Amino acid sequence: MDSTEATKGNSESVQKISPLNLIMNQLRRKASFTERKKPTMGRLFRPSESNDKRNSGIPEMKESEASEGKDNNDPGKEINNTDDETSSVVGWGRVKQFVQKLGKTPHSQNLSLSHCDLTATDVVELATLLPFLAQLEVMDLSWNDLIGGSLKAFTAHLQHVGKLRVLKLCNCRLTAQDLTALGEALDCIPLIEVLDLSWNIGVGAGNFRHFTEHLQPESTLKELRLVDCQLSETDIIALSEALPMLSSLEELDLSNNKLSIKGMENLTSSLGSTPRLKTLKLSMCGLNKDSLSVLGQALRFIPALEHFDLSCNKEAGGGLATLTTNLALLTHLRSLDMHLCCLTEEDVLALVQVAPSLKELRELDLSSNKNVGDTLQNLLQTLPLSQITKLPLNNCALSTPACHALATAMQKLQQLESLNLSWNKCVGENLRQFLELLQSDCKLQELRLSSCNLTTEDLLHLESACQRGVLSQLKRLDLSYNGSVGDGGWTSLFGKAAGLKGLEELDVSLRPSAFLSVSPWMPALLEALPHLSSLTRLSLQHWALTSAEREKLEKVLSKKNIILECDRLATPTPKAAG
């Protein structure tokens, strides 16, 4: 219509309308038409299922549904509510389509898109979907290394997910610009508690300050993980300067970052600003004797520490005495990990001195330290054995006296759930000592005896323990690399499989150099499988099976959804080697 006529009766003259008014009237007609169509469109898109079911998938609709009763007398509000519901339904549909396209399951509170090969374009699309994820609390975009450099397009929309508590961006090739964008967006996610930026080398090289300079006092951040970010001394200084604003911090993981002495001095000088710190992980940080001395002086500032990881610092050997001076102040310490630290006998003896003060200790990992073998007896006399739940002693070169001492201590290890004695040859022919003292209320869930020179007699004692029911809680049993066990040992063990009703993982693999036949004990294994009702994984690596044996075994396992780890068919060797 090119013009508008207004008529009063039959004699009213035609009034001319200016071009601007003409355009405005056309726009008003179009808007009016849209407004009239909204209720109809709402009914068209509204799902047929019940409100409760619909709201469980789209939580952001609950508020509008709750207020529908008191607002239904106002036609304007009814139209707006219907429009909001329609938008939410359509928006959630877009979220589902996007997430399912990536092979993931959509959830309104937990969005996991790790390992999805996301591109910058995907990130932009995800940003447009954030308004429909108002209830989101956990978001994981880790291991998508193509999104680096495009984070700003995403963080600009984080105000729509104000309830976000956990954000993981591991291995995303983050850049300095990404860190700036993330720092600037912190105000939009005021409830954030967990931030994981691990395996991003772009976080290091002096770039971390682009993030820390945006931190505000009284930050809600509780967990900060920066594993293998190639943090430089400058980055550690930036972190140290930011710690006073992270008074709520409970976990700090700097593992796999080379920490210089100066960096350690800066870091430890600020630890007093994090009195709530419960977990400190410094694994593989290149710590040496001097580093431990600096760290030891700072322990008095973090009395709430419960989990302390110093593992894989091979230059730390000989320096534990400088650390243990203040280690006794950590009265809440529950876990201490110092595996593969080249500890000396003096280090272990220093730990012996402080052990009586560690009354809350539950886990002590000294594995892969050869010098533990000759001093274990002294340590066992001072540890709070009655509450220890995890004791890895694999590859510790345990001596025969150490084995006897540990076997005697088994009676006091009433809460022990995990015992790893792998790669200690003295366990062979001595397993009976460990098993005879186990009681019916044994809580052992994990027993690892890989490469322990076990004999047929050792497995007969293991069979006896199964028969007594003391291993009914066992979930993981590792007997791999013990080729010195005869066929009769395996046959006897599987014959008492009913005593391993809780077993989930069983490993009886051989060394790669030995392919022995399973034929002598395969019938016993097949008869045992129905009794292993919880089994999910069976490893028979490097054992030789005939095609008929493998077919029969796979048929039984497939019915129980058990994963079989086994090599291709091979000709068994006559050599009975482990």
Side-chain angles (χ1 to χ4, degrees):
M1 183 174 179
D2 296 329
S3 62
T4 303
E5 296 182 358
T7 306
K8 292 184 180 180
N10 294 327
S11 60
E12 192 73 12
S13 61
V14 177
Q15 298 179 353
K16 294 184 179 180
I17 306 298
S18 69
L20 177 60
N21 287 338
L22 177 62
I23 294 173
M24 294 302 298
N25 280 340
Q26 288 176 334
L27 291 175
R28 291 190 188 98
R29 288 192 185 96
K30 186 174 182 180
S32 177
F33 175 78
T34 304
E35 289 293 320
R36 290 196 301 271
K37 295 297 289 182
K38 279 182 181 177
T40 305
M41 296 300 288
R43 288 190 293 271
L44 176 64
F45 283 101
R46 188 175 300 169
S48 59
E49 65 259 27
S50 67
N51 286 342
D52 290 341
K53 185 175 180 180
R54 181 173 72 249
N55 289 351
S56 65
I58 314 172
E60 50 268 32
M61 289 176 56
K62 293 181 179 179
E63 184 176 350
S64 60
E65 287 288 342
S67 61
E68 182 176 346
K70 63 182 180 180
D71 290 343
N72 58 8
N73 292 327
D74 190 330
K77 290 185 178 180
E78 180 179 359
I79 292 174
N80 289 334
N81 287 341
T82 306
D83 182 50
D84 291 342
E85 293 174 15
T86 302
S87 177
S88 295
V89 172
V90 175
W92 179 247
R94 288 179 56 200
V95 172
K96 290 177 62 177
Q97 183 180 20
F98 178 78
V99 175
Q100 290 172 349
K101 175 184 67 175
L102 298 170
K104 300 285 187 173
T105 302
H107 193 284
S108 62
Q109 293 180 312
N110 190 333
L111 183 62
S112 177
L113 298 178
S114 61
H115 299 276
C116 284
D117 293 325
L118 295 179
T119 64
T121 303
D122 294 323
V123 171
V124 172
E125 183 177 356
L126 176 60
T128 65
L129 298 176
L130 292 184
F132 310 109
L133 290 166
Q135 304 301 315
L136 195 63
E137 296 183 6
V138 179
M139 180 157 41
D140 187 356
L141 303 181
S142 300
W143 303 96
N144 291 291
D145 57 5
L146 297 179
I147 68 176
S150 61
L151 208 59
K152 186 173 181 60
F154 172 75
T155 58
H157 297 268
L158 283 181
Q159 71 272 15
H160 298 294
V161 287
K163 295 183 179 181
L164 194 66
R165 295 185 301 102
V166 179
L167 179 59
K168 298 181 180 181
L169 295 167
C170 305
N171 194 37
C172 289
R173 291 192 181 180
L174 299 184
T175 65
Q177 291 76 16
D178 292 327
L179 293 176
T180 299
L182 183 60
E184 291 174 345
L186 287 177
D187 290 340
C188 300
I189 44 177
L191 303 181
I192 193 70
E193 295 180 352
V194 179
L195 181 61
D196 195 342
L197 303 177
S198 299
W199 294 288
N200 284 290
I201 61 175
V203 171
N207 292 327
F208 193 49
R209 63 179 178 81
H210 293 293
F211 171 77
T212 58
E213 63 187 13
H214 295 284
L215 288 171
Q216 298 296 322
E218 304 301 325
S219 168
T220 57
L221 204 60
K222 293 183 178 180
E223 299 179 18
L224 179 60
R225 300 173 190 144
L226 301 169
V227 179
D228 198 9
C229 287
Q230 296 189 15
L231 299 180
S232 66
E233 191 173 291
T234 302
D235 297 311
I236 296 299
I237 292 175
L239 173 62
S240 303
E241 294 174 348
L243 285 181
M245 288 175 282
L246 301 177
S247 57
S248 298
L249 196 65
E250 296 181 0
E251 177 177 333
L252 178 61
D253 192 348
L254 301 178
S255 299
N256 292 39
N257 290 287
K258 181 72 173 180
L259 300 181
S260 65
I261 293 297
K262 185 176 181 180
M264 280 296 297
E265 291 174 346
N266 279 281
L267 176 65
T268 55
S269 66
S270 299
L271 285 180
S273 303
T274 57
R276 301 179 186 177
L277 195 66
K278 295 181 180 180
T279 301
L280 179 59
K281 297 183 179 182
L282 299 173
S283 176
M284 204 178 295
C285 285
L287 304 185
N288 54 30
K289 297 179 183 180
D290 295 332
S291 304
L292 292 186
S293 178
V294 172
L295 182 59
Q297 297 173 17
L299 293 182
R300 64 181 184 273
F301 300 126
I302 46 177
L305 199 66
E306 297 180 2
H307 306 281
F308 199 11
D309 185 357
L310 298 173
S311 62
C312 303
N313 287 291
K314 296 183 179 181
E315 298 178 12
L320 192 57
T322 60
L323 181 73
T324 54
T325 303
N326 288 317
L327 193 63
L329 300 176
L330 303 181
T331 55
H332 299 286
L333 193 66
R334 299 173 64 89
S335 171
L336 177 60
D337 188 349
M338 296 199 70
H339 79 267
L340 199 59
C341 282
C342 297
L343 298 181
T344 64
E345 290 188 15
E346 290 73 20
D347 290 327
V348 180
L349 293 177
L351 190 57
V352 168
Q353 298 298 319
V354 74
S357 302
L358 305 178
K359 300 183 183 301
E360 297 296 322
L361 196 64
R362 300 291 188 274
E363 301 179 7
L364 177 62
D365 191 346
L366 300 178
S367 59
S368 298
N369 287 290
K370 300 289 187 180
N371 288 307
V372 170
D374 293 326
T375 53
L376 183 62
Q377 305 97 298
N378 298 323
L379 187 59
L380 290 173
Q381 293 174 4
T382 58
L383 286 175
L385 297 180
S386 61
Q387 58 195 35
I388 294 292
T389 60
K390 187 174 182 180
L391 191 60
L393 292 168
N394 47 295
N395 198 26
C396 282
L398 297 183
S399 62
T400 300
C403 277
H404 293 328
L406 180 59
T408 303
M410 290 298 294
Q411 199 166 11
K412 297 180 180 179
L413 292 166
Q414 301 169 353
Q415 303 298 321
L416 192 64
E417 297 177 357
S418 176
L419 178 63
N420 191 343
L421 298 176
S422 297
W423 303 93
N424 288 293
K425 304 303 181 184
C426 71
V427 176
E429 299 183 349
N430 288 305
L431 189 58
R432 174 181 61 83
Q433 301 178 51
F434 295 96
L435 299 175
E436 281 186 345
L437 296 177
L438 297 181
Q439 303 299 315
S440 58
D441 59 349
C442 175
K443 294 180 172 57
L444 204 59
Q445 298 181 18
E446 180 179 45
L447 179 59
R448 298 194 178 276
L449 302 169
S450 177
S451 191
C452 283
N453 278 358
L454 297 183
T455 64
T456 300
E457 185 178 356
D458 289 322
L459 258 66
L460 293 178
H461 292 299
L462 189 57
E463 170 211 350
S464 176
C466 292
Q467 191 172 11
R468 289 190 291 121
V470 297
L471 296 177
S472 60
Q473 302 296 319
L474 202 63
K475 295 182 179 181
R476 289 170 291 279
L477 178 59
D478 184 358
L479 301 174
S480 61
Y481 291 12
N482 285 292
S484 51
V485 175
D487 295 330
W490 300 117
T491 301
S492 298
L493 176 63
F494 293 131
K496 301 300 179 182
L500 295 171
K501 59 183 179 181
L503 196 64
E504 297 177 1
E505 299 179 11
L506 175 61
D507 190 348
V508 295
S509 301
L510 293 176
R511 295 180 184 277
S513 59
F515 281 86
L516 306 179
S517 174
V518 301
S519 298
W521 49 268
M522 178 58 75
L525 174 60
L526 292 174
E527 290 182 11
L529 287 174
H531 300 288
L532 299 173
S533 56
S534 301
L535 194 66
T536 60
R537 186 180 299 273
L538 174 63
S539 184
L540 298 175
Q541 298 282 17
H542 313 305
W543 285 98
L545 288 76
T546 65
S547 57
E549 288 171 338
R550 179 154 189 160
E551 182 179 352
K552 186 179 296 186
L553 180 60
E554 289 180 339
K555 183 177 181 180
V556 174
L557 297 181
S558 63
K559 293 180 180 179
K560 298 169 64 66
N561 293 322
I562 298 175
I563 298 174
L564 174 64
E565 295 178 350
C566 184
D567 299 294
R568 62 184 184 278
L569 299 177
T571 303
T573 175
K575 180 182 178 181

